[in-house]
Amino acid sequence: KISFIDNKATLNLIAQKPMNILALVDEQSKFPKATDKTLVSRLHQQHEKNADYLKPRSDMSTAFGIRHFAGVVFYDCKGFIEKNKDSFSGDLLALMPTTKNKFLNTLFTEDLKMMGKEQNNKKSVTLSSQFKKSLDLLMKTLGE
């Protein structure tokens, strides 16, 4: 078993509780007219009462803060929505199963499974959904 500082409240804010930060990034990524400002506004609206969420002093800012166990970190949302829409290239997705390179094959096995399932469900795979899956796996490993 791995010992670690309990960061559950922060993890809930980022990825576990309903309407967490990653879920809101995904939500905003689906709206064609969403901007970095609408994302930040939505985050402030949803989390301003959370003690681990910090709203900057200026309403003009596209940043928000999170109180982690090691201290406060501010994140600038410029480009979050656009970056979140980045996905694994369809050409690469089709090419990966044919590789003879064992390292590449093992490196992307889980990602390819996840992307294949989500493509069958007609969902787009976003960076935040991939990050959440990795975080869930880490938490499961730490819990063992």
Side-chain angles (χ1 to χ4, degrees), residues 11-134:
L11 291 173
N12 285 341
L13 172 65
I14 295 169
Q16 301 299 315
K17 292 285 183 184
M19 301 311 287
N20 60 66
I21 290 171
L22 293 178
L24 291 174
V25 171
D26 268 350
E27 173 192 87
Q28 289 292 301
S29 296
K30 293 175 186 171
F31 298 129
K33 294 186 179 185
T35 65
D36 299 329
K37 288 293 247 181
T38 61
L39 169 61
V40 171
S41 175
R42 186 74 174 98
L43 290 171
H44 293 342
Q45 175 189 2
Q46 185 67 37
H47 297 294
E48 66 185 346
K49 293 179 182 159
N50 186 316
D52 292 322
Y53 181 87
L54 303 167
K55 183 177 175 183
R57 292 184 184 143
S58 169
D59 286 335
M60 299 305 292
S61 175
T62 56
F64 66 92
I66 296 178
R67 183 173 288 113
H68 295 274
F69 72 92
V72 173
V73 178
F74 273 86
Y75 300 90
D76 192 336
C77 286
K78 286 182 185 166
F80 265 35
I81 292 174
E82 201 56 41
K83 289 175 188 169
N84 191 50
K85 291 178 185 179
D86 281 350
S87 61
F88 204 72
S89 163
D91 293 339
L92 287 177
L93 184 62
L95 187 62
M96 292 311 291
T98 66
T99 185
K100 292 180 179 155
N101 184 309
K102 288 181 183 180
F103 176 70
L104 284 178
N105 208 341
T106 57
L107 185 64
F108 292 105
T109 301
E110 287 301 313
D111 292 315
L112 291 169
K113 284 180 189 173
M114 182 175 93
M115 288 175 195
K117 286 178 188 172
E118 292 192 11
Q119 279 186 343
N120 289 340
N121 293 339
K122 303 287 185 202
K123 283 184 182 175
S124 63
V125 179
T126 60
L127 290 178
S128 59
S129 65
Q130 290 173 320
F131 178 77
K132 180 164 179 356
K133 183 174 172 78
S134 296

